[in-house]
Amino acid sequence: MSSSEEDDHSAHGIAESFDPPFNMPVVFKRAAADLSARHEATTDDQQSSDIPDIYGPDEGSPYPETEIEKQIQSRIKADILRSKLNYSDPFDEVHDRYGFRRQTAKISLDQYNAWWKEYRPYIQRRERKWQNLMSEVGLYHKDTTNPPTRFPPRSSKVTRYIRKGIPAAWRGNAWFWYAQGPQYLAKHPGLYDFLWKRAFANHNRDAEVIERDLHRTFPDNLLFANHNQTDDESPMISALRRVLLAYSEYMPATGYCQSLNFLAGVFLIFLDEEKAFWMLVIITQKYLPGMHDENLEGANIDQGVLMISVKDTLPTVWSKIGMGFDGFSADQVRETTDSAGATSLDDKELLTHSRASTEFIRKLPPITLSTTSWFMSGFIGTLPFESVVRIWDCFFYEGSKVFFRIALTILKLCEPELNALSDPIDVFQTVQDVPKSMVDPNYLLTSCFKRNNGFGHISEAEVRARRMYVSEIRRRSSRGQLGLNRNGNTPSDQNFQQWDNKMYKFQKRSNSPLLHGLPLRLRMHRLKLAADNHT
Amino acid sequence: MDAKPQTSVKLVLLGEAAVGKSSLVLRFVSNEFQEHKEPTIGAAFLTQKCQLPNRTIKFEIWDTAGQERFASLAPMYYRNAQAAVVVYDVTKPASFVKARHWVSELHAQASPDIVIALVGNKVDLASDDNGPRVATAEGQALADDEGLLFLETSAKTGSNVQEVFTALANKLPEPAAASAATQETPDHIDLSAAPNKQANCAC
Ligand SMILES: Nc1nc2c(ncn2[C@@H]2O[C@H](COP(=O)(O)OP(=O)(O)OP(=O)(O)O)[C@@H](O)[C@H]2O)c(=O)[nH]1
Ligand SMILES: [Mg+2]
C-alpha cells in the first residue's frame, strides 16, 4: 500500500470509470424549494424552528462547487484505497488483512501469528465452501472477479455457513444484503449524496464533534492513518466525515454519537460509502433502536435485558457482577435472587415482582459501565477485530439477539477467572480485559452457538419482549427522576416526537399514510413499524 | 515498602470529549502518549499505585466518556468516588464552561468528602499563541472559589501529570483504619498539613 501506487492509480484516470449518481434528484430539489418557501413564511414562528428540517432550505447555498468537487475526488480515492484490500493476505509483517496492527495491548505478535497460521487454512476452506454453495444457487461464477451482491435465502445451512464466517471479500455485500440494504438504497436513490452536500453547505450542527473524532477512529489502521510522507488526511477519513455528516443530517434528533465513528469505520472497510451510510442508518434504527439517542435509553434498556439474562442463566457470574461498589449491595442481590425462586426469572414472575427485585434494572449495576460499550460499538475495541466481524456476520443475518448471546458467552468464558475473585475491582478489570485477549473467533463463536450449552439461547422474540419489559420498568421509575418536560413526557418521548415529526415529513413526501393525529403511543408504535418496514 | 498500609481510592475523570482524560490516565499509568487516542465509549477502568512516604494509595480509576449524552451514566461513577479529576482543554474555552458544570454537579451530588482536582490540559498547544486560551488565572480562580486542587498539564509532554495524582493522594484524608492497632506505621506525618511534601507516585 505504498503512496506511489496510490498516485499511479489516480493518474491513470480511474476517475472516468467511476460514475457516481451525483445529481441531486428532482424530488429533493422540489421538496427543498417547497420547504424554503414555507420557512420564509414562518421565520419568527418559534414552534417551527424546534422541528428539525431534514429537507430545509438548501437552494442557492454559498457552498462552492469546487469544494464539492474535492469531496467527490476524495470519494474516488477512498474507493481506490479500499480496492487495494484483497481481504485475504495481510498487508505486511505487522498489519493484518484489514490494515490493523496485529499486535495489540493484550495480544502479542507471536500469539497473533500462531493463531493466524491455524486460521488461514480455515478461512480458505470456508471460502471454497461458500463458492460451492453460491454456485449451486447460481449466485456466483468462478470467472467473475466482482464479489456477489445477492445471497441465498435463509436456511439452516446458510445459518451454519454464516456462523462459520463469510468470506471477507464478500462480507460487506452479505451484511448489506441480509440487513435489507438494497431496499433502503432503492427507495432513496441519491439521498446520501444530497445529505452530505447539504451538511457541508449548511454547516451541520455536529460538524465540530464529528471532526474531533475523525482522526481518533482506527488511528493504527493503515487505511485510516494519515499519509506517511505528506501527513495528508487519508481519503478514508474524508469518507468517514461525509458518512457521519450525512447521518447527522438524516437523523437530526439523534445526531452524532461517539461510537458511531467506529461502526461507520468498519462499514467503510468493507463497503463503499453510500452503502456504509445506509448500514449505519439500518444498524441504529433496526438492530439497536434508541441505543445512540440523546439519552442513550436504548443502551440502558439493552443493559437491563443483558443483566436479566445473566441473572437468569449465569447465576455464578451474576453473583460477581451483580454487585459493586455503588450502593448495589450483595444483600439486594440475594433478596432478588431469593424472591425470584432460585435464579430463574420468567417474564410473568418479573412483572409481578416487588420493587426490590427490579432494582437492578432501574439502577444498573456498575459492570454495565463496561458492557454498554460492547453494544454501542458492536464489540469493536472489546474483542479482536476478526471476532468483531465474525460476530457482525451473524448479527446482520440473525438479528440483535446475537449481541446478547455473545455478551453472555464472553461472561461465561470469564467465569473461571471471576470465581477466584472477591474484590469487585478485580471483577471489573477481568471483564474489561479478558475479551481483549480472546484471539480465536472460532472458539468464541462455537462456545456461543453450541447446542445445549445451557445459557444464552435467547431468541429474537425474547429480546423484543424483554426490551419492552425493561423499557416499561425504567419509564415508570424515571418519571420524576429524569425530569419531565412541560408536556409530562420523558426525554425519550421527546425524542420520539422529533423522530415522529421527521418521519411525518418523510412519509408525507412519499405519500405514505399519515401518522398525524394518532395518540403518541400509537404513533410511536406505528413509527417503529414504519422504521422496520422502512425498506 | 510492602509493609506500608495500602488504601484503595476510587477516582473518576470527568470533562468534555477530547480534552485528554484518557491521555492523562495513559501517561499516569504507562507513561505513554498517543497522538490520536480513540474516544472512550462508556467508560474504561484502570488502576495505578501511588507511593507516599507512609502509605500506598491504589487509585481505581474510572475514565469516562466525554460526550454530553454519556453524562447520564456519570452518577454511577462519582456517587462513591473519593477523588475526581475534572479536565478541560486550555485551548477550548467551551470545555472550561463544561468543567465548571462538572464541579458544581460534584459538589451537589457526590460525597461531601470528595477531593477534586481541576486540570487544564494541553498546555503544550497553548504556548504558541494559536487562538483563544483559558487563562491560568481563570482556572486558579475557579479552584480557589470551589476549594479544588489546580494544575495545568500536558499529557503529551508529561508535564505536571504525575503531580496531579500525587497532589490528590496527599490531600486524601488518612482513613481511620490506617491508625488502627492492626497496622504498625509511623503515623505522625500529617499529610494534609504538608501537601507539597516531596512524595511522588511510583510509576
Ligand atoms: N497536544 C496535545 N494533545 C493532547 C493532549 N492530551 C490529549 N491530547 C490529544 O487529544 C485527543 C483527545 O485525547 P483523549 O485523551 O482521547 O481525550 P478524552 O478526554 O479521553 O476524550 P473522550 O474519550 O472522547 O472523552 C487525542 O488525540 C490526544 O492525543 C496534550 O496534552 N497535548
Ligand atoms: Mg477518553
Side-chain angles (χ1 to χ4, degrees):
Chain A
M1 222 201 55
S2 78
S3 56
S4 61
E5 248 176 75
E6 193 183 312
D7 294 340
D8 276 1
H9 273 83
S10 26
H12 277 82
I14 288 187
E16 277 109 39
S17 64
F18 185 82
D19 184 26
F22 278 119
N23 296 323
M24 180 159 72
V26 179
V27 55
F28 295 135
K29 282 192 179 154
R30 222 183 292 129
D34 187 36
L35 269 157
S36 73
R38 262 207 355 220
H39 188 81
E40 270 154 35
T42 59
T43 26
D44 37 22
D45 183 351
Q46 281 294 325
Q47 227 68 25
S48 72
S49 62
D50 292 345
I51 302 169
D53 244 352
I54 86 161
Y55 300 106
D58 181 73
E59 299 280 70
S61 70
Y63 202 69
E65 272 303 309
T66 50
E67 284 301 313
I68 298 279
E69 186 53 36
K70 242 168 62 189
Q71 296 299 326
I72 294 171
Q73 285 305 322
S74 95
R75 178 170 176 172
I76 295 164
K77 282 191 190 153
D79 287 332
I80 294 166
L81 195 54
R82 188 179 311 102
S83 71
K84 288 184 187 164
L85 282 178
N86 74 8
Y87 302 101
S88 309
D89 305 310
F91 267 89
D92 55 36
E93 292 292 295
V94 290
H95 294 90
D96 69 10
R97 56 186 177 144
Y98 311 110
F100 286 97
R101 291 188 83 84
R102 300 186 194 188
Q103 184 183 351
T104 66
K106 302 283 170 193
I107 296 173
S108 71
L109 191 57
D110 285 345
Q111 277 172 321
Y112 182 95
N113 289 340
W115 162 75
W116 176 245
K117 209 171 144 224
E118 302 265 308
Y119 194 65
R120 188 166 197 184
Y122 169 82
I123 53 175
Q124 284 166 344
R125 207 160 58 236
R126 294 314 306 168
E127 266 167 36
R128 281 193 302 275
K129 293 257 188 194
W130 267 94
Q131 284 169 5
N132 292 340
L133 172 76
M134 294 285 282
S135 314
E136 276 167 30
V137 291
L139 294 173
Y140 173 77
H141 298 284
K142 275 220 153 18
D143 358 298
T144 49
T145 48
N146 285 342
T149 53
R150 295 168 58 228
F151 289 83
R154 270 155 222 289
S155 71
S156 54
K157 185 173 182 185
V158 174
T159 307
R160 214 167 53 241
Y161 271 54
I162 292 210
R163 288 177 177 182
K164 289 183 177 179
I166 301 168
W170 297 2
R171 177 163 270 148
N173 284 350
W175 293 349
F176 192 67
W177 175 258
Y178 287 116
Q180 301 185 319
Q183 286 95 314
Y184 280 75
L185 192 56
K187 197 150 191 182
H188 311 287
L191 181 57
Y192 169 67
D193 294 304
F194 170 69
L195 290 169
W196 67 254
K197 287 180 195 171
R198 187 172 178 279
F200 277 101
N202 295 3
H203 188 80
N204 177 280
R205 75 183 164 112
D206 286 331
E208 225 165 289
V209 287
I210 289 173
E211 204 60 39
R212 201 162 63 184
D213 285 351
L214 292 176
H215 288 281
R216 303 165 72 203
T217 307
F218 306 144
D220 285 343
N221 185 296
L222 288 173
L223 297 174
F224 290 82
N226 286 2
H227 197 287
N228 262 351
Q229 277 98 43
T230 61
D231 204 36
D232 283 344
E233 169 178 303
S234 159
M236 289 296 260
I237 295 288
S238 323
L240 185 62
R241 179 184 292 112
R242 287 186 295 273
V243 168
L244 293 175
L245 284 173
Y247 178 85
S248 167
E249 288 284 314
Y250 185 64
M251 311 274 281
T254 308
Y256 171 71
C257 175
Q258 292 191 311
S259 74
L260 293 180
N261 59 320
F262 295 128
L263 300 179
V266 173
F267 291 135
L268 282 170
I269 295 175
F270 294 97
L271 288 163
D272 75 62
E273 64 184 73
E274 184 172 35
K275 288 178 179 170
F277 163 76
W278 285 111
M279 284 305 286
L280 198 59
V281 170
I282 293 169
I283 197 174
T284 53
Q285 287 203 337
K286 242 172 65 170
Y287 287 81
L288 305 170
M291 181 158 294
H292 302 85
D293 274 9
E294 195 73 46
N295 59 7
L296 303 185
E297 188 53 13
N300 292 331
I301 290 170
D302 277 5
Q303 289 306 303
V305 173
L306 178 65
M307 290 303 117
I308 293 179
S309 313
V310 173
K311 197 168 186 310
D312 207 1
T313 59
L314 299 172
T316 337
V317 173
W318 176 249
S319 73
K320 299 289 179 183
I321 69 168
M323 56 180 202
F325 61 76
D326 186 30
F328 191 81
S329 71
D331 287 339
Q332 271 170 305
V333 178
R334 222 169 292 130
E335 183 194 331
T336 316
T337 316
D338 290 345
S339 59
T343 52
S344 108
L345 279 173
D346 69 31
D347 287 347
K348 217 172 91 214
E349 266 178 316
L350 271 170
L351 279 167
T352 55
H353 263 181
S354 67
R355 196 183 160 83
S357 66
T358 54
E359 186 62 18
F360 72 98
I361 296 172
R362 269 184 288 271
K363 198 173 146 202
L364 295 164
I367 193 75
T368 56
L369 294 171
S370 284
T371 48
T372 298
S373 71
W374 296 4
F375 284 64
M376 292 189 76
S377 330
F379 298 96
I380 302 162
T382 298
L383 290 165
F385 194 72
E386 184 68 25
S387 299
V388 171
V389 293
R390 287 283 303 276
I391 291 166
W392 288 25
D393 289 351
C394 307
F395 178 73
F396 290 117
Y397 176 82
E398 299 188 48
S400 359
K401 68 173 182 196
V402 171
F403 278 8
F404 290 95
R405 286 194 178 190
I406 292 290
L408 289 166
T409 308
I410 293 174
L411 292 170
K412 174 75 181 171
L413 295 176
C414 288
E415 194 170 7
E417 276 184 62
L418 290 177
N419 278 339
L421 305 172
S422 55
D423 190 342
I425 292 313
D426 299 327
V427 171
F428 293 132
Q429 195 87 68
T430 302
V431 170
Q432 180 184 266
D433 292 347
V434 168
K436 294 199 170 95
S437 60
M438 292 178 173
V439 68
D440 182 13
N442 281 340
Y443 181 62
L444 180 68
L445 280 126
T446 331
S447 313
C448 179
F449 294 116
K450 195 160 53 188
R451 229 172 285 177
N452 305 325
N453 61 7
F455 71 94
H457 282 285
I458 185 167
S459 70
E460 202 61 26
E462 273 170 88
V463 168
R464 255 196 310 272
R466 288 184 173 188
R467 274 176 174 167
M468 272 166 73
Y469 168 71
V470 170
S471 146
E472 200 48 42
I473 290 185
R474 292 181 56 85
R475 269 176 70 85
R476 278 182 212 162
S477 72
S478 69
R479 293 197 179 271
Q481 251 181 49
L482 275 176
L484 305 180
N485 63 20
R486 263 170 296 139
N487 313 321
N489 295 328
T490 62
S492 110
D493 288 334
Q494 215 174 3
N495 267 351
F496 273 117
Q497 273 170 350
Q498 287 181 8
W499 190 28
D500 186 354
N501 284 326
K502 189 181 58 155
M503 287 286 288
Y504 169 71
K505 278 190 192 172
F506 202 60
Q507 301 219 335
K508 193 168 150 198
R509 284 195 326 96
S510 52
N511 298 326
S512 308
L514 300 183
L515 298 157
H516 206 57
L518 291 176
L520 179 65
R521 297 226 119 243
L522 206 55
R523 266 183 290 159
M524 274 167 56
H525 181 65
R526 290 275 172 92
L527 284 165
K528 275 189 174 155
L529 289 181
D532 286 348
N533 307 331
H534 189 57
T535 52
Chain B
M1 218 191 196
D2 280 316
K4 284 191 295 187
Q6 177 170 312
T7 322
S8 290
V9 170
K10 282 133 207 151
L11 181 148
V12 58
L13 275 114
L14 299 166
E16 198 175 87
V19 295
K21 297 180 292 300
S22 304
S23 300
L24 286 166
V25 180
L26 186 66
R27 176 62 77 188
F28 175 50
V29 172
S30 326
N31 199 20
E32 286 169 16
F33 177 76
Q34 279 171 256
E35 201 54 52
H36 301 293
K37 181 104 184 78
E38 310 198 341
T40 309
I41 309 303
F45 177 72
L46 297 96
T47 58
Q48 174 69 317
K49 285 181 186 163
C50 193
Q51 304 290 346
L52 297 184
N54 67 338
R55 57 180 175 147
T56 304
I57 303 274
K58 182 184 177 198
F59 281 115
E60 300 165 355
I61 304 167
W62 283 103
D63 170 25
T64 70
Q67 199 185 9
E68 185 67 38
R69 59 188 70 189
F70 289 93
S72 66
L73 304 175
M76 232 194 285
Y77 322 96
Y78 65 61
R79 213 177 287 128
N80 280 23
Q82 292 131 292
V85 179
V86 176
V87 188
Y88 64 93
D89 175 345
V90 294
T91 67
K92 295 261 156 45
S95 71
F96 185 65
V97 175
K98 188 75 205 164
R100 242 179 228 287
H101 165 88
W102 276 121
V103 171
S104 42
E105 178 151 347
L106 284 173
H107 280 322
Q109 310 282 341
S111 146
D113 306 326
I114 193 167
V115 181
I116 305 172
L118 178 68
V119 169
N121 188 39
K122 305 200 191 182
V123 280
D124 60 291
L125 292 177
S127 47
D128 34 1
D129 185 49
N130 44 8
R133 183 218 204 271
V134 181
T136 307
E138 232 179 311
Q140 189 65 58
L142 174 60
D144 291 346
D145 287 352
E146 304 280 347
L148 321 171
L149 294 164
F150 174 66
L151 283 158
E152 286 193 326
T153 61
S154 166
K156 185 169 183 170
T157 66
S159 157
N160 260 351
V161 178
Q162 304 300 334
E163 284 79 354
V164 170
F165 295 89
T166 313
L168 277 171
N170 278 316
K171 206 181 163 192
L172 282 161
E174 224 163 325
S179 54
T182 47
Q183 263 130 5
E184 280 185 7
T185 46
D187 62 349
H188 43 262
I189 300 174
D190 184 2
L191 286 164
S192 55
N196 291 327
K197 200 142 183 110
Q198 290 294 5
N200 266 308
C201 293
C203 317

